[in-house]
Amino acid sequence: MRRKDPEYPAALEAAVDILRGRARQGRTITYGELSAELEAQGFDSIPPHRGIMTYLLEDVCLHHNQDGRAPMLSAIVVNKASGEPSDQFSSLARSLPFSRPADWSWRDEQQRVFAECREG
């Protein structure tokens, strides 16, 4: 799958729904689990590493968050072995429009995501 593909917007909405559901529970999700859940919903061309997953998670963070001020939803997506988001997530957080400060941490971002999803 590519961003230009007609099914991409539906895959993005599905990813947002999956992640919000996990965040309401205060739980993280691995890249592999997200890929498997998307596959179960019919999006079978989103492998857990690199490629389209990277772009999908960037777009998840921008979903209804064009100014980057809201918590970055993909902060709860973690590597199975390390329990941490990928280095690409930290790079994204420091780029526009997110521009997280020098003292920012992905753990703080996860807590913001959990808090916002429980409230909303």
Side-chain angles (χ1 to χ4, degrees), residues 8 33 36 43-44 84:
Y8 184 83
E33 289 170 331
F43 304 105
D44 58 356
E84 299 179 4

Side-chain angles (χ1 to χ4, degrees), residues 55-93:
Y55 299 112
L56 184 68
L57 292 177
E58 178 181 351
D59 290 339
V60 160
C61 290
L62 289 166
H63 191 264
H64 299 298
N65 186 26
Q66 296 303 315
D67 65 6
R69 292 183 185 171
M72 297 172 68
L73 185 56
S74 74
I76 70 164
V77 185
V78 298
N79 178 284
K80 184 178 180 178
S82 71
E84 299 179 4
S86 72
D87 291 339
Q88 292 170 329
F89 175 75
S90 292
S91 296
L92 179 64

Side-chain angles (χ1 to χ4, degrees), residues 68-117:
R69 292 183 185 171
M72 297 172 68
L73 185 56
S74 74
I76 70 164
V77 185
V78 298
N79 178 284
K80 184 178 180 178
S82 71
E84 299 179 4
S86 72
D87 291 339
Q88 292 170 329
F89 175 75
S90 292
S91 296
L92 179 64
R94 302 217 189 284
S95 69
L96 291 174
F98 306 106
S99 303
R100 298 301 190 251
D103 63 348
W104 169 92
S105 83
W106 60 264
R107 286 182 175 91
D108 293 338
E109 197 76 20
Q110 278 185 352
Q111 293 309 310
R112 287 183 63 210
V113 169
F114 293 148
E116 180 180 84
C117 288

Side-chain angles (χ1 to χ4, degrees), residues 27-49:
R27 296 175 46 215
T28 60
I29 186 171
T30 68
Y31 294 96
E33 289 170 331
L34 178 57
S35 179
E37 289 198 32
L38 288 166
E39 184 173 359
Q41 293 186 31
F43 304 105
D44 58 356
S45 56
I46 304 174
H49 304 290

